[in-house]
Amino acid sequence: MWESDRVEVPYHPSIRHVAFRIDPESLETVKKWLNERDIEVRTAFKMTPAEQPLVLPNFPHAHAAIYFDDPDGNSLELITFLETDPTAAFQMMSFANWSEEKRMQGSQHTE
């Protein structure tokens, strides 16, 4: 809940929504699951539906999320916390790009 001295506050993905925590493994298939139910992913943090799920580098815990509205128009987020190096800085990116970077880092350690 956010307290404000105004009734009408401009929309921002960080406020006026409910977030539900999901398993990291579920994030791989959540977009397909939403599409099968005709639920559209919406732009959040300037990341288009095509770029979501997205990864937000909130220190010290990064998380991945996808944003959409329920059939009644309520703003919802599915979120999962990610294992990251808390000392490594990175920019917001799509979960697909983040996963690819993690895969590449993993393959470099096994060579």
Side-chain angles (χ1 to χ4, degrees), residues 65-106:
I66 191 165
Y67 294 85
F68 58 97
D69 292 333
D70 72 7
D72 292 325
N74 298 298
S75 179
L76 301 178
E77 171 188 12
L78 298 178
I79 184 173
T80 189
F81 296 101
L82 302 172
E83 291 184 27
T84 59
D85 177 355
T87 63
F90 65 91
Q91 299 296 316
M92 181 173 43
M93 66 181 76
S94 72
F95 181 69
N97 288 348
W98 183 84
S99 297
E100 179 63 18
E101 284 188 16
K102 295 299 275 185
R103 188 185 67 75
M104 295 299 290
Q105 290 171 359

Side-chain angles (χ1 to χ4, degrees), residues 12 25 32-33 36 54 57 63 78 83 96-97 104 106 108:
H12 187 278
E25 300 79 27
K32 180 181 179 210
W33 185 87
E36 288 171 349
L54 57 90
H63 67 273
L78 298 178
E83 291 184 27
N97 288 348
M104 295 299 290
Q108 290 173 357

